Amino acid sequence: MTFDRDELLKLQKKLVDADMRTRVDVDGKLHKFFEFRPLDTGIESTPMDQRAFITSEAKTQAFCGSNRCISGDTIVSTDGRTVRDLVESGVQEFECVSWDGHSFRKATAVKPFLKGFNRLNRVSLKNGLSFRSTNEHRVLSPRGWVRVGDSPGEIVGLDGVVSVLKIEDDERESYYDFSVPGFDNYVAAGVVHHNSGKTLCGDQKEVIWVRGKDPLRPSWRAPKVSDREFVVWHCVPAEFTRETLRNIVMRIPPDMPHKVYRSHGDEHVRFPPSDLRPHGAVIRIKSYGMSQDHFQFEAVDIVRFDEEPPEYIWEECEQRLVSTSGMLWLTLTPKNGTTWLYKKLYKLDSDYRCAQSGKFAWFKASQLANPHLKREDIDLRSADLSEDSYAIRVLGDYVLLQGSRFFDKDGSVLKFIYKNFVKDPEWYLTFDAKGVANFEPYSAKLNGGWDVYEQPVPGYKYVIGADASKGTGGDFSAAHILCANTNEQVAVFHSNRIEPIEFGFELFLAAKFYNYALVAPEVNFDGSALLHGLKQNGYGNIYRRQSFGGRIDQAMNSLGWFTDKRSKYPALEELRVALARSVDRRPGGIIVHCAKTLKELDNYGHLKEHRQGSYGFGALDGHDDLAMALAITIQALHQSPIANSDDVPEGLRRAKRGLFDDAMEHARKMRDRKDAFEELGSESDAYFQDRF
């Protein structure tokens, strides 16, 4: 039975509309089939590193790999659109037809994208259809999944087993890729194409450990857990929870009893007691979009991350494994190059390199090590890749994708600020239980209070911008106090041991002390508790945010600063301009005294890596709390009475310029002194002397 293009599309549409399952029987005919069976993974024919990953019992395991690709003119959706059309239209999901191991089913494909440019193969089929793909692209043949480069003679398709007429070199062209969660394959040109590797291996490994035995290792048994339920957490991006649940279910053998729970936010598969799991087992699907408390309060035997997780989720999950001496698995294409994960994995790799047992095992699905791939084909396909892309896509390496500096690319502005404005604080400020301010001479050893450069001046207006953290020793809670009359930094708070609501009380006391300053707390995540700490104490002089990105910037009746993709860049750009204007004393310039703040500004940049909540900007290395808090403070400065007043007395204008000139004169004296660097005495001196 032969299909032309229109007939094929009609058949695919019919399958989707009816949600009909069909099966290719031994006689090559299509039959209705209603039994759901797991996908045959063909695990014995996978490359060495895939099998090694499945059999490893190391405490922490990372499996990095790459994907396969097809040409842009391949029709993949049920409505007849090509993958190029889908990419250009910007769709994130589309319907296709997939193979579930014995039958064809409706499926949802996600995130089609342009992957590269190189020479493709054209595969011509006996039914008159053809498709183009890269050499390593896999299709389903009667003997299992095979590479196009291995010249399969037959391919399983909608109209039975289809013979391949010829495979020939074609033009150099862009090629594309996408994912079909839950099936890892799709139908195009009437035949079945594969699109999975490391994810499938991770799913297979989960099922093996839940069952406690491996069909390919008859004598192997997993450690027995006799006092409680065996728990696996499978952690994925938020949009893939349902598809991941379906994917896991497809890997479960027919003789393994289980029950599937599909409640939103509580997707899991539960297994009844068995000899190796006397209290049963459960695989829970966890989303990276869940709050931190969803990753607490449970002992876990295995945590599996599919693609790079947020750092706080990784840290919480590690703690869940302590009491069980559990394992952590990571499967990913490291295209995001997340800095913290890069450092963590390479630290483990340097200490415990490639252990099959013990603390760490790192597996890389390098194309160069795959015996089924020809070196000339790899070189041809990767000729136009950048160095980073080659390492990620071909070698399976984890590459640190850093970006470029945002505030000062050549260092001239920050160098000027460092040499002219940076100085040590004069005092260290804390508040006692009654809210009374206590000053003592500054010392770098003191921590948990305010570093003060200038005490409040009666009649002057001040603003405070704050960025909160959890207070658990990781990120820092940071705040700056600027004088609205002089645009000068007068105090800085920086601590990673204060909880958000306590930080709000600290801001309340500081704001009162600095003439009831206008406070702009960031209200994302932990910042909402910070705002609550201010309101709980009855403080009313709080920043009201504006909308960004519409036809006009519109004032909103909402308290606090909210960072999102629309507000972050304008805030950072205004801070960059304020820093640049300080060099030649133009209006709007600010005076920054804190060396730690300047270091974070120097280390802040455009990110190549994808970092959750960063919106393309963040610290290239280390922390960025002081930098972001200063950007928020600049926004508060816009709402201060001085900034918004049209009738500022001329004497005050002169005073403002005079204070700026005084600061510049002090800076010149400092610069001319031989012991200038010694007098600064900042912990960041060594950094800036080396940098500038």
Side-chain angles (χ1 to χ4, degrees):
M1 182 178 181
T2 302
F3 295 97
D4 61 22
R5 177 180 179 279
D6 292 338
E7 290 173 329
L8 175 60
L9 291 176
K10 289 179 181 178
L11 177 57
Q12 290 183 340
K13 189 69 168 62
K14 179 181 178 182
L15 286 169
V16 173
D17 290 343
D19 197 19
M20 180 194 298
R21 304 173 186 179
T22 59
R23 187 173 74 118
V24 180
D25 210 340
V26 291
D27 59 0
K29 296 180 180 179
L30 290 173
H31 302 276
K32 291 184 179 180
F33 187 68
F34 295 99
E35 182 180 356
F36 187 83
R37 294 182 181 276
L39 180 67
D40 180 5
T41 63
I43 198 67
E44 290 180 293
S45 64
T46 58
M48 174 79 67
D49 274 347
Q50 294 190 16
R51 188 60 196 163
F53 170 71
I54 289 177
T55 58
S56 171
E57 297 183 32
K59 291 297 182 184
T60 303
Q61 305 166 36
F63 188 12
C64 303
S66 57
N67 301 311
R68 291 151 290 277
C69 336
I70 56 175
S71 67
D73 58 358
T74 305
I75 298 173
V76 293
S77 69
T78 55
D79 57 3
R81 287 182 290 176
T82 66
V83 63
R84 183 187 295 113
D85 294 335
L86 294 165
V87 170
E88 292 176 351
S89 65
V91 301
Q92 293 298 300
E93 293 185 355
F94 61 93
E95 288 187 348
C96 67
V97 176
S98 291
W99 171 258
D100 71 6
H102 290 279
S103 60
F104 292 103
R105 293 193 58 192
K106 172 185 177 179
T108 300
V110 297
K111 295 187 176 180
F113 63 96
L114 174 63
K115 193 169 184 180
F117 182 87
N118 222 312
R119 189 174 299 279
L120 304 179
N121 293 318
R122 178 176 291 277
V123 181
S124 300
L125 307 174
K126 191 174 181 180
N127 62 6
L129 298 173
S130 66
F131 64 90
R132 294 185 297 158
S133 71
T134 56
N135 205 43
E136 71 278 8
H137 185 71
R138 290 193 292 168
V139 291
L140 183 62
S141 77
R143 57 189 176 90
W145 295 105
V146 296
R147 294 173 57 251
V148 168
D150 290 337
S151 302
E154 295 178 319
I155 304 177
V156 174
L158 288 170
D159 54 343
V161 178
V162 182
S163 298
V164 177
L165 292 180
K166 58 181 178 180
I167 300 176
E168 53 192 343
D169 289 341
D170 205 81
E171 299 175 354
R172 291 172 62 85
E173 191 175 308
S174 299
Y175 52 89
Y176 298 76
D177 201 2
F178 58 90
S179 176
V180 189
F183 295 95
D184 303 319
N185 68 79
Y186 55 92
V187 171
V191 294
V192 183
H193 303 251
H194 204 298
N195 82 318
S196 75
K198 58 197 174 296
T199 297
L200 183 147
C201 291
D203 297 345
Q204 180 82 2
K205 185 169 184 171
E206 282 181 34
V207 173
I208 288 172
W209 275 81
V210 167
R211 192 174 194 179
K213 55 186 178 180
D214 184 354
L216 298 182
R217 293 178 290 166
S219 62
W220 178 85
R221 293 294 182 270
K224 188 174 182 178
V225 178
S226 57
D227 58 341
R228 57 179 174 77
E229 186 177 50
F230 187 83
V231 179
V232 177
W233 282 2
H234 186 135
C235 307
V236 296
E239 61 268 28
F240 295 142
T241 52
R242 285 299 180 92
E243 291 83 358
T244 299
L245 178 66
R246 182 173 58 187
N247 198 7
I248 290 294
V249 171
M250 291 178 61
R251 305 294 181 259
I252 302 172
D255 61 346
M256 189 174 175
H258 62 278
K259 185 175 182 180
V260 182
Y261 297 81
R262 295 182 172 84
S263 298
H264 180 69
D266 189 31
E267 295 89 347
H268 63 281
V269 185
R270 193 169 294 279
F271 302 85
S274 63
D275 292 340
L276 292 173
R277 303 289 179 236
H279 291 270
V282 62
I283 299 177
R284 299 191 185 278
I285 311 300
K286 295 282 187 176
S287 161
Y288 294 159
M290 289 178 171
S291 61
Q292 190 170 4
D293 58 357
H294 284 83
F295 295 87
Q296 299 174 349
F297 314 117
E298 187 174 20
V300 184
D301 296 277
I302 295 171
V303 173
R304 190 283 187 82
F305 296 114
D306 197 7
E307 303 304 342
E308 295 149 294
E311 185 174 9
Y312 75 91
I313 290 181
W314 176 288
E315 292 174 349
E316 284 293 342
C317 288
E318 281 189 315
Q319 296 305 307
R320 306 285 75 75
L321 300 171
V322 173
S323 62
T324 63
S325 189
M327 295 188 293
L328 188 150
W329 306 338
L330 173 67
T331 55
L332 78 163
T333 299
K335 56 185 179 297
N336 294 334
T338 309
T339 304
W340 68 268
L341 186 54
Y342 172 92
K343 290 183 175 182
K344 187 180 293 288
L345 294 183
Y346 269 98
K347 177 65 169 64
L348 289 169
D349 190 39
S350 63
D351 293 342
Y352 318 104
R353 185 176 298 277
C354 290
Q356 270 294 299
S357 61
K359 294 188 177 181
F360 184 71
W362 190 320
F363 303 96
K364 302 176 183 179
S366 171
Q367 295 180 11
L368 300 181
N370 192 329
H372 302 291
L373 303 181
K374 297 178 182 179
R375 181 57 185 266
E376 56 268 26
D377 293 330
I378 296 174
D379 293 341
L380 181 66
R381 186 183 71 83
S382 59
D384 298 322
L385 294 179
S386 67
E387 183 178 350
D388 285 346
S389 295
Y390 184 89
I392 293 170
R393 302 295 184 183
V394 179
L395 302 181
D397 285 343
Y398 199 120
V399 176
L400 178 60
L401 296 177
Q402 290 193 316
S404 58
R405 285 185 170 91
F406 178 84
F407 290 109
D408 189 14
K409 292 182 174 59
D410 62 2
S412 60
V413 172
L414 297 184
K415 180 179 180 180
F416 176 89
I417 295 173
Y418 174 70
K419 289 188 174 181
N420 291 280
F421 296 150
V422 168
K423 62 180 181 180
D424 271 352
E426 297 286 340
W427 303 277
Y428 179 74
L429 170 64
T430 56
F431 296 94
D432 62 19
K434 296 181 179 180
V436 178
N438 297 308
F439 282 97
E440 57 183 297
Y442 172 76
S443 170
K445 295 181 180 179
L446 298 174
N447 186 30
W450 294 85
D451 296 341
V452 176
Y453 299 92
E454 180 183 286
Q455 295 190 31
V457 178
Y460 276 18
K461 301 295 183 181
Y462 296 90
V463 296
I464 304 177
D467 179 14
S469 72
K470 300 180 185 302
T472 56
D475 285 342
F476 286 78
S477 291
H480 299 273
I481 305 179
L482 294 186
C483 177
N485 301 85
T486 63
N487 285 13
E488 183 176 2
Q489 183 186 47
V490 298
V492 177
F493 185 93
H494 194 229
S495 173
N496 60 358
R497 292 295 180 184
I498 186 169
E499 295 182 356
I501 197 163
E502 289 293 331
F503 187 30
F505 188 64
E506 189 75 24
L507 290 177
F508 162 69
L509 295 175
K512 281 182 60 180
F513 186 69
Y514 274 88
N515 302 343
Y516 285 88
L518 174 68
V519 182
E522 185 181 34
V523 294
N524 301 56
F525 305 113
D526 305 302
S528 58
L530 188 157
L531 179 62
H532 182 71
L534 284 168
K535 295 170 66 177
Q536 189 179 49
N537 288 282
Y539 196 74
N541 195 17
I542 301 176
Y543 172 89
R544 294 185 181 274
R545 60 182 176 268
Q546 295 177 311
S547 65
F548 288 85
R551 289 177 295 178
I552 58 173
D553 286 346
Q554 194 173 34
M556 302 171 63
N557 191 29
S558 301
L559 297 177
W561 171 266
F562 187 84
T563 302
D564 59 17
K565 63 182 179 181
R566 291 183 175 180
S567 66
K568 189 170 187 178
Y569 175 75
L572 294 173
E573 180 63 16
E574 289 186 26
L575 174 57
R576 187 191 66 78
V577 171
L579 294 170
R581 284 176 171 265
S582 68
V583 173
D584 51 8
R585 296 183 296 175
R586 285 182 291 169
I590 61 171
I591 300 174
V592 177
H593 295 306
C594 177
K596 287 187 291 186
T597 301
L598 204 64
K599 183 177 179 180
E600 286 195 8
L601 293 171
D602 187 49
N603 194 44
Y604 199 92
H606 300 270
L607 299 176
K608 285 186 179 179
E609 67 177 75
H610 172 74
R611 195 180 299 171
Q612 188 179 35
S614 68
Y615 307 111
F617 303 95
L620 301 178
D621 189 18
H623 296 282
D624 61 3
D625 314 283
L626 284 167
M628 197 62 215
L630 186 58
I632 296 170
T633 310
I634 296 297
Q635 297 304 307
L637 202 59
H638 297 332
Q639 287 190 12
S640 69
I642 297 297
N644 293 326
S645 177
D646 294 327
D647 56 347
V648 177
E650 184 60 29
L652 187 54
R653 293 183 189 275
R654 287 198 301 271
K656 182 174 181 180
R657 175 53 59 87
L659 285 171
F660 200 105
D661 290 341
D662 290 344
M664 291 294 294
E665 183 61 29
H666 171 74
R668 292 190 191 98
K669 292 178 181 178
M670 288 289 294
R671 182 178 54 196
D672 293 339
R673 292 179 57 170
K674 293 181 180 180
D675 59 344
F677 280 109
E678 296 179 6
E679 185 171 335
L680 290 176
S682 168
E683 62 186 46
S684 298
D685 278 355
Y687 170 86
F688 285 106
Q689 290 185 50
D690 178 65
R691 167 92 168 94
F692 298 137

